[in-house]
Amino acid sequence: MEIKNICCIGGGYVGGPTMSVIADKCPEIQIDVVDISAERIRDWNNEDLSKLPIYEPGLAEIVKKCRGKNLHFSVEIEKKISTADMIFISVNTPTKKRGLGAGQAIDLRWVEASARQIAKYAKGETIVVEKSTLPVKTAETIKDILLKSTKKDDQQYEEKTFTVLSNPEFLAEGTAINDLNSPDRVLIGGEDDASINALKNIYLRWVEEKKILTTNLWSAELSKLTANAFLAQRISSINSISILCEKTGADIKDVSLAIGKDKRIGKHFLNSGPGFGGSCFKKDILNLVYICDYYSLNEISEYWQNIIKINDWQQKRICNLIIKNLFNTISDKTITILGFAFKANTNDTRESPAINICKNLLEEGAKLNIYDPKVKKSQIEKDLNLKELGSNNNNQGSWEFFNSPKSALINADAAVILTEWEEFKSIDFNHLSKSMRSPCWLFDTRSITNCDLKNSENINVWKIGDGQN
Ligand code: NAD
Ligand code: UGA
């Protein structure tokens, strides 16, 4: 089966970059990214490439090359579904906020809406690809919707056929284009060989065959949740050791290096920090926990829940140590927050540790000067939601947005590095601390600043996992 037209439902952090790379690698395939958010689509079509809705290194160049040729962004969902041979579902799958399974289960309403739209508007033979991260057995739900909604009163039922594949995405934000160009593996789960091969043939344009794994649907869905759970587990593990380093005089960087040399452990994902953020780790582990509970696997559920517990604990302990070092009160003290994104090289703030840490500092009455090279002020406003925070607190602090670290540091009592942006590594704190209020502090939760600061008379330094602080 030759694929000529692809439609991707959802133009977010996954849909946008993934379709851009497929468009780049397969110029003969027409690709339409559709989204219910007219604002997002407008931004994808912005002539000024710095205004694309997401910041991702290397993305703007590909959009520039392919947009208007074989890569299109629109809100014409029905029309684009109707002309597609293959449809990717790449919509958001957050944790349910209310109702059955609230706080753990995935809210499938956007996936279901997409499946219903496909059932209604698709024509002929259509391959539906789950790109979103989904609970195990969701493909069954999608198949059900596709079959049952077409059977009922649709005169053209005979002309429509659907197959469902699971093709989870493993890209990480900040390195998405590189991850898509050179994936460690591509995973395709499904039952129909012709559909699997149609998708495989697309990836074969640039991915070695041995890296393309095919499995059944359920293994593909569960592998994605498991991969994220394992990655998050490594971060909680190394973060749990960071405090031991601080207590014992060891250095977490040395420990990471030493253990990472063991090939069985490996060197990646061993950086201690303020806890993992991002839209997926927490929600995917919670989903795993929900599935375990569903099957009454209580010990397994508890095991994975602890990964999240350690993550919350790490964020909390950072707040506490800031307060403790600033003489146990931060009311009316100015604290400079360097970095608000959940990691470097992205403008995404979903589940960023900065949100909880800033909220806690505001609760204690601090004045925050916030700087991030890519996150907009309006996004921080949404994330901190001061109105909600301040309802019962007379001592609530305030925050201001700054355009440079230098201006954000003036008169500050402390600076807190929360995101490992490259530009923070070269800040001369020794020099800039002269504009801060003495005695001032640097809390480096990513351990990225220059070690010479240790002997600085101008500034006290705390670095995560550094027992020589
Ligand atoms: P996102 O919120 O950035 O994008 C989802 C988009 O889907 C939004 O723009 C939304 O408006 C749109 N949408 C929702 N319902 C729609 C509908 N019925 N029709 C058209 N558009 C609709 O989310 P994301 O970060 O791109 O994540 C998408 C999925 O991919 C999630 O399941 C996530 O777990 C998974 N994932 C994300 C990443 C990542 O790094 N962000 C990596 C791998 C997998
Ligand atoms: C993660 C996975 O890495 C991707 O494979 C997966 O596709 C994606 O989730 C997803 O399903 O959404 P992402 O969240 O974009 O990607 O970014 P990561 O690089 O994994 O970082 C996640 C969080 O962990 C960040 O807050 C980061 O700062 C933190 N982290 C990462 C550490 O604290 N230490 C590390 O060593 C690595």
Side-chain angles (χ1 to χ4, degrees), residues 170-171 173 224 228 235 269 271 277 280-281 342-343 446:
F170 295 99
L171 68 78
E173 289 175 29
K224 173 63 197 176
N228 273 0
I235 300 169
F269 257 70
N271 291 324
C280 294
F281 280 176
F342 80 96
K343 64 183 282 198
R446 299 278 185 172

Side-chain angles (χ1 to χ4, degrees), residues 9-15 34-37 40 77 90-93 110 113-114 117 131-133 169-173 224 279-280 283-284 350:
I9 305 181
Y13 282 86
V14 168
V34 294
D35 203 293
I36 40 174
S37 163
R40 228 173 199 180
I77 302 177
S90 191
V91 299
N92 34 319
T93 53
W110 293 275
S114 306
Q117 281 170 309
K131 190 46 111 176
S132 296
T133 304
E169 184 48 61
F170 295 99
L171 68 78
E173 289 175 29
K224 173 63 197 176
S279 62
C280 294
K283 85 158 163 73
D284 291 348
R350 289 176 292 179

Side-chain angles (χ1 to χ4, degrees), residues 174-236:
T175 53
I177 299 303
N178 193 38
D179 296 342
L180 288 160
N181 277 330
S182 320
D184 287 343
R185 77 318 213 169
V186 167
L187 183 55
I188 304 176
E191 288 150 358
D192 178 67
D193 286 345
S195 308
I196 293 174
N197 283 333
L199 182 56
K200 194 172 168 183
N201 283 336
I202 293 176
Y203 285 112
L204 278 174
R205 300 292 298 261
W206 75 99
V207 181
E208 284 173 274
E209 183 156 20
K210 65 178 183 204
K211 287 191 173 174
I212 304 179
L213 312 179
T214 52
T215 65
N216 71 24
L217 281 164
W218 325 129
S219 299
E221 288 176 339
L222 187 56
S223 300
K224 173 63 197 176
L225 293 182
T226 310
N228 273 0
F230 267 58
L231 290 169
Q233 178 205 47
R234 276 174 79 93
I235 300 169
S236 280

